[in-house]
């Protein structure tokens, strides 16, 4: 699927004064490689630290210093490529991208220009409405990050922090296959999920581990591509959506006023929610790319790639399919669970019984998604920090399944475990939370209620839906512990409704 | 006792080990020679205290019987090599008083083997030049003069300080670097021996880069054997340099006396350039005769792409240089000329810091890499490079063991004599040497005779990749036949 073959979806068009417009979006994602040391030096990649704490002689571009490729970064790039179902190029070349900037010590960035390590691949994106589309990946290449210029430390000077200088980035270039801000956001979310599954990028956008350059253009449906603008360095998924919406509207307004779009690089101002011009095509750098003579071409062996492939974890698409297949989950529930590897792992840990058996996947999904996630979100906690462990949640679900407690009591039990901890089964025992299935005890309660409410007995015979009132009364008198099915059945028999 | 500075490195080593003199005595003699020869401007920084400390340590090791292969040998270091705690400038104003916190791999191996550093040697700024006249410290004067003339001559470049210091007996050997002929041409101009080893033989780590794909370190010394001893110490795989070759380093000195019997020596017809002076042609013939009389076979060969080497070199080398020198921006070290904004700071710093020849090459390099010109220049030059490499491979595959050529088109010329010439005329000095860098091969320059005015002339031998041993063997045959060339008197002292 690409810009020319994907038909315009009327639902995604934006309305202009003169008719509908289609938005075409392509993205370049910069994902920081998870590695201990930098792409070409032994300096630490640790986030934070005092400025210039993690800087080697190579990172500072001292005279005579030479880059040496970090094998782990190469492996991470290959893993990422495999995760994107992409072609791995057994020979790739590092080039120098030349430009002057104070936070670029070498005066060039080592990147891959003509021969990237990873070629074409794809990402399948599921939308909340159940629709799905495929985004073509054009390439993934390795490159160095730059340092950071600090302009707020001195009245007339700028300071430079080289801690990030030389950190490995993967630039992942998509085809212009995206058609709306929502699609773009869903794509980045999915890409982030895949990289986090692979362990090749932590996806922490707040720390700058994932940044997007967003290319936006608009056109009349069916017409050739319009002139695009590139919005640089957008660092949150929400901002990506805002930037696209603003930029598409800006372009439509210009075109409808009879203007033309200038191909340019723009910046997104998160404060104002707008994009503004950074530099025009004429001001664009001539990067004078050429192969870095300090580095030999990177040659990989087929066996090496195969080895990495064997070590890959199950990826979200496969995991989702398995959840649907093996546990009978809805596609939606499965998608929610696999969005993070940790939640999928938690779900599977709840499903697995200690005796090797399995709990009912649907029931588990229900509890994990509705109760657990609901509670975690409320407290702003990650699933890995959940106060209720998988084993505890599994025990709660078992108690429901065994008719020991009702669903309602289970929620109370969940609260107790959440705040106090402990073995759920023991808590039920100690606090007398067991469900009453003893029909004698329930009958007694029913008889008492029938005796005390002759008027209601009359009414229910005329209007069977009144049964709910009786159920409520019985539950109340049994402290919620009566088995609701038993209550229902007995009430119907005693009141003589079918 | 003979003057200690007249000894060759090998003789001095023998003298030290047999305790005829101490490393301290040997070092003091050379320090005195260095001080007396300041008019040659070969050294840009003298480090006598450092040298005497090292010499004392060497004497102690010799006394303990722990002498390394270069124990107590006083050397000079081209200012392109980073020396820990010792100012390193590449003879450019842009590095100012830069003092590295690290030692280049090549020099660290020399100190590991016991050598003594007398100081840092002059060179063309960032090794860009063929006469040592582009140095920020001013030109080096060749210890050789034309017979009956007091005219000052250039020592060649870019390793002019290294060649002049060795020729003037200021040190027993020197480190040098060669990107297009910067070891071999000055060696030829000063009657010394210089070898550029195979690309990848010596680590480039810690050596200021000129053109990364062409730069190689190597020694300049008084004799072929001395060069072999030095190269053995300087060579070896270095994981810090991705282009360093992981190949065995032989004891090169062991190959020196091997002879040339049965070797096939190629004579490339393309090196018989138009207007070649008769004395150069005669010297070339003499070289062939000496090798033949020692049992080598002389064969005519063709290297058809030779004529494209120089123009291609002057695209590839400046292209890489323009990028390699981008780091000298006034931000982190070296010279900074303040400006109203960052662009102005860059412009003022680089305009003040780089000399005219370096600026010229940065501009050429920037131009040939520019969008729209890359394919026409850089890419084509790289294709030519492949063809040049293939020319050599074809010849070696046909059984040729080494190739004999003149080292330079002429003897040393006068200081400032080329000032009015176009840069291209200066670049022609490299015509016989650049092909070797373009192909990554080893090449040695050995003095072989004198021109009509009594100036030394050199021959060049080119070898197979990583076969420096054959070059030492054949070089020794030439040295034995031609004799050594020492400046007649220390007129500078």
């Amino acid at each position: 699927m690409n810009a020319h073959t994907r038909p315009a979806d009327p639902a995604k068009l934006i309305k202009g004064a003169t008719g509908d417009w289609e938005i075409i979006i392509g993205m370049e994602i910069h994902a920081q490689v998870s590695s201990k040391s930098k792409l070409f030096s032994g300096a630490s990649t640790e986030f934070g630290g005092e400025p210039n704490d993690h800087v080697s002689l190579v990172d500072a571009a001292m005279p005579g210093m030479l880059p040496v490729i970090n094998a782990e970064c190469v492996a991470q790039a290959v893993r990422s490529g495999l995760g994107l179902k992409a072609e791995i190029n057994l020979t790739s070349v590092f080039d120098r991208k030349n430009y002057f900037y104070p936070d670029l010590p070498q005066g060039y960035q080592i990147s891959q220009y003509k021969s990237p390590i990873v070629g074409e691949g794809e990402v399948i994106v599921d939308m909340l409405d159940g629709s799905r589309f495929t985004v073509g990946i054009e390439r993934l290449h390795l490159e160095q990050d730059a340092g950071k210029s600090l302009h707020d430390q001195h009245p007339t000077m700028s300071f430079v922090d080289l801690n990030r200088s030389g950190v490995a980035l993967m630039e992942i270039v998509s085809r212009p296959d995206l058609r709306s801000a929502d699609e773009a956001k869903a794509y980045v979310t999915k890409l982030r999920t895949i990289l986090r599954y692979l362990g090749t990028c932590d996806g922490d956008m707040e720390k700058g581990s994932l940044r997007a350059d967003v290319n936006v253009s608009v056109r009349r449906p069916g017409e050739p591509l319009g002139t695009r603008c590139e919005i640089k360095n957008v660092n949150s998924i929400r901002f990506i959506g805002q930037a696209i919406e603003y930029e598409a509207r800006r372009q439509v307004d210009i075109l409808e006023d009879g203007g033309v779009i200038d191909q340019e690089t723009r910046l997104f101002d998160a404060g104002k929610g707008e994009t503004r011009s950074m530099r025009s095509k004429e001001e664009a750098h001539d990067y004078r790319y050429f192969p870095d003579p300090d580095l030999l071409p990177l040659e990989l062996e087929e066996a090496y790639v195969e080895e990495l492939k064997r070590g890959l974890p199950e990826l979200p698409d496969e995991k989702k399919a398995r959840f649907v297949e093996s546990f009978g989950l809805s596609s939606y529930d499965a998608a929610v669970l696999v969005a993070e590897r940790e939640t999928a792992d938690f779900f599977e840990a709840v499903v697995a019984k200690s005796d090797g058996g399995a709990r009912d996947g649907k029931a588990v999904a229900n509890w994990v998604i509705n109760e657990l996630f609901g509670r975690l979100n409320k407290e702003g906690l990650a699933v890995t920090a959940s106060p209720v462990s998988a084993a505890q949640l599994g025990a709660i679900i078992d108690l429901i399944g065994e008719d020991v407690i009702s669903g309602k009591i289970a929620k109370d039990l969940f609260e107790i475990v959440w705040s106090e901890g402990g073995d759920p089964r023991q808590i039920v025992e100690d606090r007398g939370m067991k469900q009453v299935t003893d029909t004698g005890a329930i009958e007694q309660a029913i008889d008492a209620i029938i005796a005390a409410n002759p008027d209601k007995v009359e009414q229910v015979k005329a209007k069977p839906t009144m049964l709910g009132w009786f159920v409520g009364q019985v539950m109340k008198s049994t402290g919620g512990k009566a088995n609701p099915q038993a209550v229902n059945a007995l009430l119907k028999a005693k009141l003589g409704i079918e | 006792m003979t003057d200690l500075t007249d000894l060759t490195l090998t003789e001095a080593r023998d003298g030290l080990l047999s305790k005829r003199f101490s490393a301290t005595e040997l070092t003091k003699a050379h320090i005195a020679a260095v001080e007396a020869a300041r008019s040659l401007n070969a050294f840009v920084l003298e480090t006598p205290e450092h040298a005497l400390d090292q010499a004392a340590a060497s004497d102690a090791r010799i006394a303990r019987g722990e002498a390394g292969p270069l124990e107590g040998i006083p050397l000079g270091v081209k200012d392109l090599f980073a020396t820990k705690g010792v100012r390193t400038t590449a003879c450019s104003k842009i590095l100012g008083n830069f003092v590295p916190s690290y030692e280049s791999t090549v020099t660290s191996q020399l100190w590991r083997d016991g050598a003594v550093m007398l100081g840092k040697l002059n060179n063309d700024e960032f090794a860009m030049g063929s006469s040592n006249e582009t140095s920020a410290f001013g030109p080096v004067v060749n210890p050789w003069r034309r017979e009956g003339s007091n005219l000052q001559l250039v020592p060649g470049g870019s390793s002019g300080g290294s060649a002049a210091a060795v020729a003037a007996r200021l040190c027993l050997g020197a480190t040098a670097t060669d990107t297009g002929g910067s070891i071999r041409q000055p060696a030829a101009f000063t009657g010394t021996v210089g070898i550029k080893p195979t690309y990848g033989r010596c680590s480039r780590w810690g050596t200021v880069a000129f053109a990364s794909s062409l730069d190689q370190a190597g020694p300049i010394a008084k004799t072929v054997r001395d060069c072999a001893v030095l190269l053995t110490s300087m060579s070896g795989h270095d994981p810090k340099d991705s282009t360093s070759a992981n190949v065995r380093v032989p004891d090169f000195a062991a190959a020196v006396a091997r002879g040339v019997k049965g070797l096939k020596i190629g004579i490339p017809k393309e090196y018989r350039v138009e207007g070649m002076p008769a004395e150069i042609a005669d010297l070339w013939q003499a070289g062939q005769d000496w090798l033949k009389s020692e049992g080598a076979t002389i064969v005519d060969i063709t290297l058809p792409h030779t004529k494209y080497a120089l123009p291609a070199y002057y695209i590839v080398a400046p292209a890489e240089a323009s990028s390699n020198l981008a780091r000298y921006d006034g931000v982190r070290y070296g010279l900074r000329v303040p400006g109203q904004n960052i662009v102005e700071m860059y412009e003022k710093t680089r305009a003040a810091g780089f000399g005219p020849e370096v600026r010229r090459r940065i501009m050429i390099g920037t131009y040939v890499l520019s969008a729209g010109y890359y394919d026409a220049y850089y890419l084509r030059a790289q294709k030519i490079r492949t063809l040049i490499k293939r020319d050599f491979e074809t010849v070696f595959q046909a059984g040729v063991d080494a190739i004999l050529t003149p080292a330079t088109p002429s003897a040393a010329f006068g200081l400032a004599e080329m000032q009015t010439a176009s840069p291209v005329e200066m670049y022609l000095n490299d015509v016989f040497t650049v092909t070797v860098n373009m192909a990554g091969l080893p090449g040695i320059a050995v003095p072989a005779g004198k021109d009509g005015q009594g100036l030394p002339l050199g021959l060049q031998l080119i070898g197979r990749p990583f076969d420096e041993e054959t070059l030492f063997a054949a070089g020794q045959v030439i040295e034995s036949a031609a004799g050594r060339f020492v400046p007649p008197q220390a007129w500078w002292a």
Side-chain angles (χ1 to χ4, degrees):
Chain A
M1 212 172 330
N2 63 40
H4 306 286
T5 57
R6 193 174 175 197
D9 176 352
K12 297 196 168 110
L13 301 180
I14 55 171
K15 303 256 177 283
T18 60
D20 290 343
W21 297 85
E22 189 182 16
I23 317 176
I24 310 291
I25 305 151
M27 294 220 238
E28 291 157 27
I29 304 287
H30 292 89
Q32 183 182 328
V33 174
S34 296
S35 65
K36 286 201 180 70
S37 50
K38 297 182 179 181
L39 183 54
F40 296 111
S41 85
S44 165
T45 58
E46 204 182 312
F47 182 79
E50 290 299 302
N52 298 310
D53 254 9
H54 307 312
V55 185
S56 74
L57 296 169
V58 175
D59 306 324
M62 301 306 272
M65 290 302 102
L66 298 171
V68 176
I69 187 79
N70 176 344
E72 179 54 20
C73 294
V74 173
Q76 292 288 53
V78 172
R79 286 187 193 107
S80 300
L82 293 170
L84 300 174
K85 313 266 181 278
E87 164 195 354
I88 306 300
N89 294 323
L90 296 181
T91 300
S92 62
V93 176
F94 286 101
D95 297 282
R96 291 185 183 177
K97 178 179 181 178
N98 295 282
Y99 65 96
F100 284 94
Y101 205 69
D103 58 25
L104 187 76
Q106 294 164 136
Y108 53 84
Q109 176 195 35
I110 305 178
S111 181
Q112 295 189 303
Y113 182 51
K114 284 187 179 161
S115 307
I117 185 165
V118 175
E120 290 191 25
E122 61 175 43
V123 172
I124 295 166
V125 185
D126 291 293
M127 301 296 285
L128 285 178
D129 64 7
S131 66
R132 73 165 29 184
F133 61 96
T134 302
V135 180
I137 299 296
E138 195 174 299
R139 58 186 282 163
L140 175 155
H141 68 252
L142 279 168
E143 63 183 27
Q144 297 175 300
D145 203 351
K148 203 165 84 180
S149 294
L150 309 167
H151 303 296
D152 53 1
Q153 307 284 310
H154 187 276
T156 58
M157 312 276 266
S158 290
F159 287 8
V160 177
D161 176 5
L162 297 179
N163 281 350
R164 289 192 72 92
S165 166
V167 165
L169 301 178
M170 297 179 282
E171 179 169 326
I172 304 166
V173 183
S174 86
R175 298 222 172 265
D177 288 350
L178 300 155
R179 293 294 176 272
S180 69
D182 283 345
E183 285 193 1
K185 286 157 73 178
Y187 162 69
V188 178
T189 306
K190 182 60 180 288
L191 184 62
R192 180 176 175 277
T193 300
I194 294 171
L195 298 177
R196 283 174 53 83
Y197 263 66
L198 292 163
T200 57
C201 171
D202 66 19
D204 192 334
M205 297 185 83
E206 276 174 25
K207 291 180 181 166
S209 296
L210 201 77
R211 283 117 68 187
D213 295 345
V214 191
N215 287 289
V216 178
S217 65
V218 298
R219 67 173 174 188
R220 297 287 192 190
E223 286 188 3
L225 291 174
T227 303
R228 66 187 161 87
C229 291
E230 181 180 25
I231 312 160
K232 279 273 179 204
N233 249 331
V234 192
N235 61 3
S236 94
I237 290 178
R238 192 161 58 92
F239 292 163
I240 289 171
Q242 289 175 3
I244 291 170
E245 267 160 17
Y246 176 88
E247 179 60 19
R249 178 53 62 188
R250 186 188 73 88
Q251 293 185 15
V252 166
D253 289 347
I254 290 173
L255 293 170
E256 292 197 324
D257 285 348
V260 287
I261 305 299
D262 295 323
Q263 186 175 337
E264 60 183 0
T265 302
R266 300 179 68 84
L267 275 180
F268 178 66
D269 181 332
K272 292 182 179 154
E274 59 187 42
T275 66
R276 61 165 185 270
S277 183
M278 192 174 139
R279 57 173 181 258
S280 71
K281 193 183 173 187
E282 290 70 36
E283 297 166 288
H285 294 296
D286 178 354
Y287 290 119
R288 307 188 309 280
Y289 284 100
F290 76 108
D292 191 332
D294 286 332
L295 293 160
L296 303 171
L298 182 62
E299 310 265 4
L300 308 177
E301 285 174 9
E302 193 72 59
Y304 166 84
V305 175
E306 284 305 315
E307 181 68 37
L308 290 173
K309 199 182 241 171
R310 274 195 294 279
L312 287 190
E314 184 184 36
L315 291 172
D317 289 343
E318 287 80 56
K319 203 180 276 290
K320 183 184 160 197
R322 183 167 62 81
F323 282 8
V324 170
E325 175 81 9
S326 311
F327 304 122
L329 301 191
S330 70
S331 172
Y332 179 85
D333 282 357
V336 171
L337 289 173
V338 304
E340 295 283 347
R341 188 170 170 176
E342 290 77 12
T343 55
D345 288 349
F346 191 94
F347 165 76
E348 292 210 76
V350 181
V351 167
K353 282 185 166 173
S354 56
D355 63 4
R359 297 188 171 93
D360 174 45
K362 275 183 171 172
V364 171
N366 218 1
W367 268 89
V368 170
I369 294 170
N370 298 319
E371 301 307 322
L372 182 67
F373 287 2
R375 197 62 216 273
L376 289 169
N377 284 343
K378 208 165 121 190
E379 307 284 331
L381 289 174
V383 70
T384 45
S386 169
V388 178
S389 72
Q392 286 169 321
L393 186 56
I396 294 172
I397 294 167
D398 285 347
L399 290 165
I400 306 168
E402 292 161 16
D403 278 343
V404 175
I405 55 171
S406 66
K408 187 180 173 300
I409 292 291
K411 287 181 190 177
D412 297 340
L413 177 59
F414 178 85
E415 273 307 313
I416 295 168
V417 176
W418 176 281
S419 44
E420 299 170 29
D423 173 12
R425 203 171 282 277
Q426 195 63 48
I427 294 168
V428 166
E429 196 68 45
D430 293 350
R431 306 196 186 183
M433 295 168 79
K434 270 192 178 169
Q435 173 166 258
V436 180
T437 43
D438 169 3
T439 46
I442 297 172
E443 265 184 284
Q444 226 176 344
I446 290 174
D447 290 345
I449 290 162
I450 287 176
N453 298 284
D455 53 330
K456 296 274 197 262
V457 174
E458 281 311 305
Q459 288 169 13
V460 77
K461 282 179 177 157
K463 194 184 174 202
T465 50
M466 277 282 295
L467 189 68
W469 182 85
F470 283 94
V471 174
Q473 292 302 306
V474 177
M475 294 309 281
K476 205 168 159 188
S477 80
T478 58
K481 285 181 280 183
N483 180 317
Q485 282 84 40
V487 173
N488 253 306
L490 284 168
L491 269 173
K492 280 178 179 171
K494 291 207 180 256
L495 293 167
I497 45 181
E498 83 286 359
Chain B
M1 193 160 59
T2 55
D3 193 332
L4 292 176
T5 60
D6 285 340
L7 300 174
T8 66
L9 186 154
T10 307
E11 289 163 353
R13 201 169 56 161
D14 294 344
L16 285 167
L17 294 181
S18 60
K19 304 203 171 77
R20 272 185 284 133
F21 46 83
S22 69
T24 301
E25 287 169 317
L26 184 66
T27 298
K28 278 184 175 162
H30 283 93
I31 289 171
V34 168
E35 284 169 358
R38 285 182 183 145
S39 62
L40 295 181
N41 201 26
F43 278 82
V44 294
L45 183 73
E46 296 169 17
T47 55
E49 295 86 1
H50 183 84
L52 288 170
D53 286 349
Q54 284 182 310
S58 284
D59 282 329
R61 281 193 294 271
I62 291 168
R64 291 198 302 269
E66 294 168 4
L70 292 172
E71 202 63 68
I73 300 297
L75 301 177
V77 174
K78 188 177 181 178
D79 206 27
L80 233 54
F81 293 86
T83 40
K84 188 174 178 176
V86 176
R87 190 189 69 189
T88 301
T89 68
C91 296
S92 177
K93 280 186 200 151
I94 202 133
L95 271 159
N97 287 313
F98 178 70
V99 177
S101 63
Y102 48 93
E103 184 80 30
S104 83
T105 299
V106 162
T107 48
S108 70
Q109 290 177 181
L110 293 172
W111 317 142
R112 173 202 67 197
D113 287 351
V116 168
M117 179 170 78
L118 292 169
K120 302 300 289 286
L121 293 163
N122 207 339
N123 51 252
D124 278 300
E125 183 180 4
F126 282 104
M128 296 179 192
S130 304
S131 64
N132 215 118
E133 291 170 288
T134 71
S135 165
F137 294 98
V140 175
V141 178
N142 194 329
W144 288 85
R145 294 195 291 199
R146 291 176 185 137
E147 274 162 17
S149 163
N150 287 342
L151 182 76
Q152 292 190 325
L153 304 179
V154 302
S158 66
S159 310
S162 305
V166 171
R169 304 178 285 270
L170 313 184
C171 54
L172 292 175
T175 68
T177 63
D178 189 317
T179 305
S182 283
I183 289 176
R184 293 157 290 159
Q185 184 252 18
F189 276 15
T190 57
T192 56
V193 181
I195 182 165
K196 180 204 93 76
T198 313
Y199 184 79
R201 180 63 97 178
C202 292
S203 168
R204 295 186 295 111
W205 192 88
T207 308
V208 175
F210 162 14
S212 311
S213 74
L214 301 158
D215 294 346
Q216 259 298 290
I220 291 178
K222 293 175 179 175
T223 67
V224 171
R225 180 175 290 277
D226 290 357
C227 267
V229 171
L230 285 169
L231 186 62
T232 306
S233 284
M234 292 166 75
S235 299
H237 178 239
D238 180 3
K240 290 186 288 188
D241 174 2
S242 307
T243 64
S244 156
N246 195 356
V247 294
R248 188 186 67 93
V249 179
D251 175 8
F252 291 120
V256 168
R258 222 188 240 181
V260 292
K261 203 173 170 63
L263 292 187
K264 206 186 256 188
I265 306 292
I267 309 299
K269 66 172 189 211
E270 291 78 9
Y271 284 62
R272 202 169 295 280
V273 291
E274 214 174 304
M276 177 183 274
E279 49 201 16
I280 301 279
D282 291 347
L283 183 82
W284 196 4
Q285 187 56 51
Q288 296 171 43
D289 295 344
W290 294 327
L291 291 166
K292 200 170 168 183
S293 69
E294 288 298 313
T297 311
I298 306 298
V299 292
D300 287 327
I301 58 167
T302 175
L303 298 165
H305 297 93
T306 300
K307 64 172 175 239
Y308 305 112
L310 198 64
Y313 171 85
Y314 275 97
I315 289 168
V316 173
E320 293 181 10
S322 71
S323 178
N324 282 336
L325 271 56
R327 66 187 57 198
Y328 307 105
D329 57 5
V331 174
R332 297 169 313 289
Y333 49 79
L335 179 74
R336 174 190 290 181
V337 182
Q340 288 303 305
N341 53 51
I342 186 66
V343 172
E344 199 182 303
M345 184 185 105
Y346 285 151
E347 289 173 352
K348 285 185 166 175
T349 300
R350 288 168 67 84
F354 291 133
E357 183 59 29
V358 173
R359 290 206 297 269
R360 172 169 21 250
R361 297 200 197 190
I362 289 173
M363 284 189 279
I364 292 170
T366 304
Y367 179 81
V368 299
L369 288 175
S370 302
Y373 297 101
Y374 179 86
D375 289 358
Y377 292 104
Y378 188 77
L379 208 59
R380 279 180 83 194
Q382 289 292 16
K383 284 178 184 163
I384 289 169
R385 196 169 174 184
T386 306
L387 294 171
I388 290 166
K389 210 179 267 180
R390 198 173 298 159
D391 281 356
F392 282 107
E393 283 164 7
T394 307
V395 165
F396 290 131
Q397 270 160 23
V400 167
D401 296 292
I403 296 163
L404 182 73
T405 78
T408 57
S410 72
F413 45 88
L415 269 181
E417 198 176 290
M418 298 287 276
Q419 222 159 45
T420 52
S422 80
V424 175
E425 283 179 68
M426 186 66 107
Y427 297 166
L428 280 171
N429 264 286
D430 304 329
V431 68
F432 297 134
T433 47
V434 285
T435 52
V436 176
N437 301 77
M438 293 291 267
L441 301 172
I444 192 169
V446 183
K450 288 184 182 173
D451 74 351
Q453 295 170 301
L455 294 179
L457 291 171
L459 287 172
Q460 171 179 240
L461 285 153
I462 304 166
R464 293 193 171 106
F466 299 104
D467 185 18
E468 290 85 358
E469 289 168 287
T470 296
L471 300 188
F472 286 124
Q476 182 61 52
V477 166
I478 291 171
E479 183 179 288
S480 302
R484 281 188 52 211
F485 295 81
V486 180
Q489 51 164 339
W491 54 264
W492 55 85

